[in-house]
Each structure stands twice: as structure tokens, then as C-alpha cells.
Amino acid sequence: MTISPCRSQTFVDYKYLNQLLLEVQENCRSHKNSKIVSISLEIGLVDPLLVLDKFNHKNAINFYFENRTQGEAIAGIDTVDKLEIFGNTRFTKAEEFIKNCLKNIIPISHQNHPLSLPHFFCTFSFFDQHHKTDYPFPAATVFLPCWQIAVKNNCCTLVMNTIINSSVNISQILDNLQRHLEIIQTLTNYSFKSEPFPVNLYNKITKNDDKFKASVASALEIIQSKHLSKIVLADTLDVFANHDFNLLQSLNNLRQLHPNCYIFSTSNGKGQNFIGASPERLISIHKQQLITDALAGSAPRGKTPIEDGENAKKLINSTKEKHEHKLVLDFITQHLSQLGLLPQVLAPRLRQLSNIQHLWTPISAVVPNNIHPLQIVAKLHPTPAVAGATRDIACAEIRRYEPFERGLYAAPLGWVDADGNCEFIVGIRSALIDGNYARLYAGAGIVAGSDPEKEFAEVQLKLQALLKALV
């Protein structure tokens, strides 16, 4: 991220803040309740990834999200309130949790800026229950952070969320805010140097190559029998390093290597992190305008402009790839229509990333006030781009073929703010990090005409791109 200051100094009227917080406290005392105060400040421009690294500790839940092409990044660090759940009511319960929290929040802000609003950070696993009990993330986590720092349009906003009750010490809260602002000030002129992973310092443990190819061949038989028109099968790569992975450097490498992707990271507060560089947006809502993506059908980038163009042409003209893409497109438009939305299909195009290119069709819609973003997420997840068609049969087959827990792989990750704006991506091209161990995930869509060797090569291409970033 290019850092150039939008404000050289952060002015905070502590006397005014102190008076406001004392009034809130007095109100809490008389009503015998507690409130969450959300204090928003415009600050000098700083990289949220650096702030995450500085404020974070091993037992804190956090979330990091960056879209470099949009000039946006946001981090949520530690929790004021959180919900962790399993089961098929997780989206509904998450929505209720957010709505109940919002009733209890008092915003203090002089900005009319979407980033000044409190954000709720959400992760949902692919399945609503885990088959493997040792998977380290819940099926759903929603949290309101203690600290939220965001950059958009070259301006930076810090939000501090804190509980006010009759016994809390207001002076300590303001001292805490001042201390954190001073730390942020020291980060304004810092810039990264990418450090690639030293050669021969890790042992790569791959699954049996033949197993994935055999699964593809078996899935093709089911597709031939017409029980299924598509299934997405994933594979994993396990990596052990001789020292702990450097999360900060890995994320910085990801954003350097994949500037067109969403860079993300979330921690569970127990030392494990889930990170990645996803090309796939699930939904984005801003001022009731929804954008979602049909992203399916792939080809490698070429080593020369001529080869790249030939690969793109083959992709655009491939009956197999167009069929796979249409399954996703039709699914999304149908499911948005079922919610009462009126999806508008935009012109199809290519999504060209550093090592792979996809068929891509954006879809837009207007979202009425009575539809919460999580209702749309619940309706769309999982799309045929990460599951298959028909969805229920594909999901059952995925459980049968894949010996590992998908967890947050290919699942919705993102945020919702107090005004119903949101950004959710699909957690593909991702890795689970635990100390010196990493499990990398990638998948491929299997349809009639798929070739096990080519699908295996596509998955390896995705895994290797991710492996390159880990340090």
C-alpha cells in the first residue's frame, strides 16, 4: 500500500470526549445498564496491516481485509463483543447478534464517512458443522472489535469501541486511546521490504497425487450418470517450516504478488490464522447497491503475450468452461430473485490474475431496507463456483471425496457495518497457519469434459502461487 499522509496530525479533544463519556456513564448508572461507545477519529494515513501487527496479541481474535485495486484496507483487532456458533441457524443468529449490538452502541464521530461506522467482522465455515472435532475455527464467528482501523480514498479512520458502565474508569479509557494513537503515529513512515521464503527451509508434504485424480475420475462417472452436473473438489498441501511462519510478511507478500485479489486474514484467538488471496467476491453492498460475481471457468496465464492471448481465446471459446460459468451465473440470479431482488447481469469479461485467468460476469441489484446482508450471504453460500450443482448433492459428495475439513476454505468471510453496507469474499486460495505448520487449500470445478490431469495441474498452479507467499 502506498502511504502518503492525508492529515499530518490527529487532533483529539480529550476534554470534550471526557465530558461525553461521563454523561454516558451517568446515564448507565441511573438506568443500571451498560453501553458500547464507538469513538471514531480521522488520523494520519497508516498501513492497517502494520497496526494489526502492532496491536495484535496471540489471544486476540482479529480480522484483516484488503482490496488494493480499490485502495481499501480494514483491520478489526480484539473483541468488545462476539458470538461463536455452530448449526444451520448460524446466519440468522449472527444477524440477530448484530442487530442487538447496534441497539446498544452510542457513536461519537465528527465524520460523515462509512469507515467511521462500527463494523462487525464475520467468518462462516463452508459447512455448518465440522466432521473433524479438532478444526480450530467455529462454524461462525461474529465480533465487534475493540480497535478498527481502515483506509479508503487515501484517508484513514480509527474506531475505538469500548464498554461504558457505572464502574468503568473514564480516565483510563482516554489514556488507552491516547497510548494507541501514539503507537500508530510511530508507524506512519514505515514501509515493508518483502522477504521471500529462504530455499530449503521447509519440508513440503503433499497428499498422494493419484488420490485427487482418482476422485476427479470418480466424480466424472457420477456426472455422466446425470446425478450431478458439477462438483468442486479441493486438495491440500501441508507445509512444515523450521520456524514459525511470519504472518505479517506473508500477508505483505500476498498483496504484492496478487494485487488484483482480496487479501485476508483472521485469527481465532488461540494462535491459529486463516489467510489467503481470493479473486472471488461473494457480495458487496454500498448504499443499498449490491454487486456480486459469477467467477468460474479457468485457464493459466501465458508466459508470453501471444501465449497469454491464445489461452484467453481458448477459455472464452471453451464449451466446457462456458458451461461451468453458466451454472454459477444462473444459480446466483435465481437465488437473488428468490429473495425478491431484481438482478441485472452485466457484460461478461475476463478476470486476469498473476498466474490464472477466469471467466467473470458481475451482477448488480438494489437491496431494500428489509433485507439484511447476511440473508443474502445465507442464500448464496455455497455457490456452484465452490460447491457444484445441484448444491445439496454436490456438498454430500464433497464430504465423501475430501478427507480433510474444509473449515473456512471456500466460505464467506467479511464485514457488515451499522448502515447495512458489507463486503464478503469467498475464502479460496487460502491457508490455515499454526506456528510452523501451514495447510494450503485450492480446488477445481469438475464438469462433463473435465480431464483429471488438467484439473490436478490447475489445483497445483493455485497451491504453488500461495506457497510462494509464505515466509
Side-chain angles (χ1 to χ4, degrees):
M1 179 167 296
T2 305
I3 301 297
S4 55
C6 69
R7 281 180 67 166
S8 57
Q9 293 294 325
T10 301
F11 174 73
V12 183
D13 189 338
Y14 287 102
K15 190 175 176 183
Y16 170 73
L17 266 181
N18 185 64
Q19 185 59 41
L20 280 180
L21 296 181
L22 285 171
E23 287 174 16
V24 173
Q25 185 174 48
E26 188 51 46
N27 196 277
C28 289
R29 197 173 282 127
S30 61
H31 288 89
K32 295 183 175 155
N33 65 3
S34 65
K35 290 286 180 184
I36 296 169
V37 168
S38 186
I39 302 166
S40 170
L41 303 165
E42 187 177 326
I43 63 173
L45 197 58
V46 68
D47 188 341
L49 184 55
L50 288 173
V51 178
L52 171 66
D53 182 60
K54 203 76 174 173
F55 287 7
N56 192 36
H57 55 88
K58 197 169 185 179
N59 297 322
I61 289 176
N62 65 46
F63 193 101
Y64 177 76
F65 209 47
E66 179 171 340
N67 183 338
R68 207 167 190 191
T69 52
Q70 299 289 328
E72 296 174 8
I74 188 166
I77 306 153
D78 216 343
T79 58
V80 169
D81 203 356
K82 70 171 180 177
L83 176 71
E84 295 180 343
I85 34 179
F86 288 88
N88 58 14
T89 59
R90 58 190 177 145
F91 291 106
T92 308
K93 285 180 177 172
E95 180 187 340
E96 288 168 2
F97 169 80
I98 291 170
K99 287 178 175 175
N100 288 334
C101 262
L102 286 172
K103 289 175 191 170
N104 208 33
I105 292 177
I106 298 171
I108 299 175
S109 173
H110 293 299
Q111 303 175 74
N112 183 20
H113 197 290
L115 294 181
S116 66
L117 296 168
H119 285 51
F120 294 85
F121 296 91
C122 312
T123 61
F124 299 94
S125 60
F126 188 88
F127 294 106
D128 57 33
Q129 297 282 359
H130 300 331
H131 274 190
K132 298 196 182 299
T133 54
D134 60 348
Y135 186 78
F137 284 85
T141 303
V142 188
F143 75 95
L144 179 70
C146 295
W147 301 99
Q148 172 188 312
I149 184 157
V151 171
K152 187 177 172 71
N153 299 332
N154 268 352
C155 274
C156 194
T157 303
L158 177 72
V159 176
M160 176 196 194
N161 297 309
T162 187
I163 294 170
I164 303 290
N165 54 34
S166 59
S167 60
V168 77
N169 187 318
I170 301 298
S171 295
Q172 282 182 1
I173 289 172
L174 293 176
D175 287 346
N176 191 31
L177 175 59
Q178 185 175 21
R179 193 167 63 250
H180 280 77
L181 282 169
E182 286 168 359
I183 293 168
I184 289 170
Q185 189 69 30
T186 67
L187 302 173
T188 50
N189 295 317
Y190 185 91
S191 61
F192 275 99
K193 288 177 185 171
S194 288
E195 295 179 15
F197 198 93
V199 180
N200 298 328
L201 287 186
Y202 60 85
N203 294 312
K204 199 165 48 177
I205 304 173
T206 54
K207 298 286 187 289
N208 181 356
D209 294 355
D210 294 332
K211 184 169 187 348
F212 180 79
K213 294 176 198 171
S215 294
V216 173
S218 176
L220 284 168
E221 289 176 15
I222 298 173
I223 290 166
Q224 192 74 34
S225 68
K226 308 294 185 194
H227 288 299
L228 202 59
S229 56
K230 175 183 177 179
I231 185 169
V232 178
L233 293 178
D235 201 5
T236 59
L237 181 67
D238 288 343
V239 180
F240 289 88
N242 66 357
H243 55 75
D244 287 358
F245 287 101
N246 184 325
L247 186 71
L248 180 73
Q249 286 293 346
S250 294
L251 288 169
N252 186 52
N253 282 358
L254 280 172
R255 64 185 181 179
Q256 302 291 338
L257 291 165
H258 306 285
N260 296 327
C261 290
Y262 294 87
I263 308 306
F264 63 88
S265 171
T266 186
S267 77
N268 60 1
K270 296 170 188 170
Q272 288 94 5
N273 292 272
F274 186 74
I275 74 169
S278 175
E280 188 168 350
R281 168 176 50 192
L282 185 62
I283 62 165
S284 172
I285 301 173
H286 180 61
K287 294 183 178 176
Q288 297 182 283
Q289 294 292 322
L290 176 145
I291 288 280
T292 181
D293 297 325
L295 194 75
S298 311
R301 298 299 302 270
K303 289 177 181 159
T304 65
I306 293 171
E307 187 188 353
D308 200 41
E310 286 172 353
N311 287 355
K313 192 175 176 181
K314 280 181 196 169
L315 175 60
I316 291 165
N317 294 320
S318 166
T319 304
K320 176 250 175 191
E321 302 295 343
K322 286 193 289 187
H323 169 60
E324 186 181 341
H325 184 76
K326 189 171 186 305
L327 287 172
V328 178
L329 181 62
D330 291 349
F331 172 92
I332 291 173
T333 54
Q334 285 165 16
H335 281 70
L336 290 177
S337 299
Q338 287 167 14
L339 281 168
L341 305 182
L342 300 171
Q344 305 295 310
V345 177
L346 307 181
R349 57 203 76 177
L350 278 181
R351 184 86 193 273
Q352 293 186 307
L353 308 175
S354 58
N355 66 324
I356 197 165
Q357 47 195 329
H358 300 284
L359 297 175
W360 172 34
T361 305
I363 301 153
S364 69
V366 176
V367 181
N369 288 324
N370 64 323
I371 295 181
H372 192 272
L374 289 184
Q375 293 174 25
I376 304 172
V377 172
K379 194 76 175 169
L380 293 182
H381 173 71
T383 72
V386 290
T390 51
R391 181 161 70 175
D392 291 349
I393 297 171
C395 285
E397 292 298 326
I398 286 167
R399 283 286 207 199
R400 194 165 70 84
Y401 282 120
E402 295 178 358
F404 52 88
E405 187 69 62
R406 277 200 174 193
L408 297 181
Y409 167 71
L413 316 169
W415 56 261
V416 181
D417 76 11
D419 278 355
N421 301 309
C422 79
E423 187 94 27
F424 279 87
I425 56 108
V426 184
I428 55 174
R429 322 285 159 84
S430 47
L432 178 64
I433 310 286
D434 186 0
N436 72 329
Y437 165 73
R439 167 164 280 181
L440 285 59
Y441 303 82
I446 314 305
V447 295
S450 289
D451 175 78
E453 289 289 345
K454 287 181 181 174
E455 301 302 338
F456 176 73
E458 180 184 320
V459 169
Q460 294 309 304
L461 185 70
K462 294 169 182 174
L463 289 170
Q464 292 304 315
L466 191 57
L467 182 62
K468 216 171 148 186
L470 292 183
V471 294

